[in-house]
Amino acid sequence: AKSRMTLEHLLTMQSGLEWNEMELPYDDERNDLIRLFLVPDPIEYILAKPLVAQPGTVWYYNGGNTNLLGEVIRQATGQRMDAFAAEYLFAPLGITDYEWDHINAETIHASGNLQLRPRDMAKFGVLYLNGGEWNGQPLVSQTWVEASTQLHATPRGGGGYGYQWWLRTYDFGSEEVMAFFAAGWGGQRISVFPSLDMLVVSTGGNYVAEDPVDEIITRFILPAVR
């Protein structure tokens, strides 16, 4: 059954692999994401997980899916994900001050802990806001941008999920406005509002409590724009 798993299933968090990341805190060694840093071969650890659902049928937030995508990049290009990103994404965007997290010497932590300046986070939002163009030049195909930010899965807590982007609507007066966003732990967020030609970048350290980003957007930013 694993042979039916596709890149799209990994991108949309619908691999169907058994995974425990959201029920246990990240300081618990039983958390499957933390296990990646403790086992000899993290990719083998992910791939050895049994299927608990047919691929493409059930959404579950699984950092293992994203780390498999990082390995796919390495296998397909011959470059580790950080080197590939540096050449084809960061350099064209003028991003020079960053730091990747490593699971081990050969494996980049693809699912988290990338450190970027807020202004460089914003560049990703601008790239997607402009349909994949940067300074008038195509960097990511518009087809990919559109596909990435469409609804492909519905998380258990509501909202929507695209290709590693979250989707949601916000109240905007008597109407609603759609946004897609990249969300990191603690309040790191790149929120893109295509219909408003706007993006919002936030950082935070709310690692043990709910982050207030949605409240800030709803109570302050959108009313100011309206």
Side-chain angles (χ1 to χ4, degrees), residues 1-224:
K2 288 182 182 178
S3 67
R4 294 194 289 272
M5 194 185 305
T6 67
L7 291 176
E8 187 169 52
H9 295 145
L10 299 177
L11 287 162
T12 59
M13 296 294 179
Q14 297 182 102
S15 66
L17 292 172
E18 180 183 78
W19 198 256
N20 189 337
E21 183 172 345
M22 305 309 294
E23 286 73 26
L24 294 170
Y26 286 119
D27 60 0
D28 191 322
E29 291 186 359
R30 296 172 299 168
N31 185 305
D32 276 318
L33 184 70
I34 302 306
R35 295 296 302 165
L36 297 183
F37 292 83
L38 304 175
V39 298
D41 188 333
I43 302 303
E44 180 183 49
Y45 177 84
I46 300 166
L47 292 173
K49 285 287 185 177
L51 281 177
V52 293
Q54 289 298 311
T57 62
V58 177
W59 185 95
Y60 180 84
Y61 188 83
N62 177 346
N65 293 334
T66 309
N67 285 290
L68 286 180
L69 290 169
E71 178 65 12
V72 167
I73 289 173
R74 189 177 74 84
Q75 293 282 345
T77 68
Q79 292 180 283
R80 205 170 61 178
M81 190 182 74
D82 55 335
F84 182 83
E87 181 175 354
Y88 294 104
L89 193 60
F90 287 7
L93 291 174
I95 297 175
T96 58
D97 190 8
Y98 58 89
E99 184 175 332
W100 290 93
D101 192 23
H102 292 71
I103 294 176
N104 59 33
E106 294 300 321
T107 310
I108 294 295
H109 181 194
S111 65
N113 289 12
L114 170 63
Q115 296 185 42
L116 292 166
R117 299 183 305 170
R119 67 182 60 194
D120 291 330
M121 293 167 63
K123 291 176 181 179
F124 287 103
V126 172
L127 180 66
Y128 268 69
L129 191 60
N130 292 335
E133 288 191 357
W134 180 254
N135 287 336
Q137 299 297 317
L139 184 57
V140 178
S141 76
Q142 183 172 355
T143 300
W144 178 259
V145 170
E146 292 172 354
S148 299
T149 56
Q150 293 297 310
L151 177 66
H152 293 284
T154 303
R156 290 182 299 180
Y161 202 77
Y163 291 169
Q164 305 280 291
W165 289 94
W166 299 83
L167 314 174
R168 68 158 292 170
T169 56
Y170 291 87
D171 290 334
F172 191 63
S174 60
E175 303 175 356
E176 291 185 330
V177 62
M178 190 279 289
F180 57 88
F181 60 93
W185 188 28
Q188 284 52 253
R189 186 86 68 90
I190 307 169
S191 300
V192 182
F193 296 80
S195 65
L196 301 179
D197 193 31
M198 180 180 80
L199 67 93
V200 177
V201 167
S202 63
T203 61
N206 302 281
Y207 300 113
V208 295
E210 290 267 342
D211 74 66
V213 177
D214 283 330
E215 182 180 0
I216 291 170
I217 290 174
T218 301
R219 290 184 58 190
F220 302 107
I221 295 176
L222 289 178

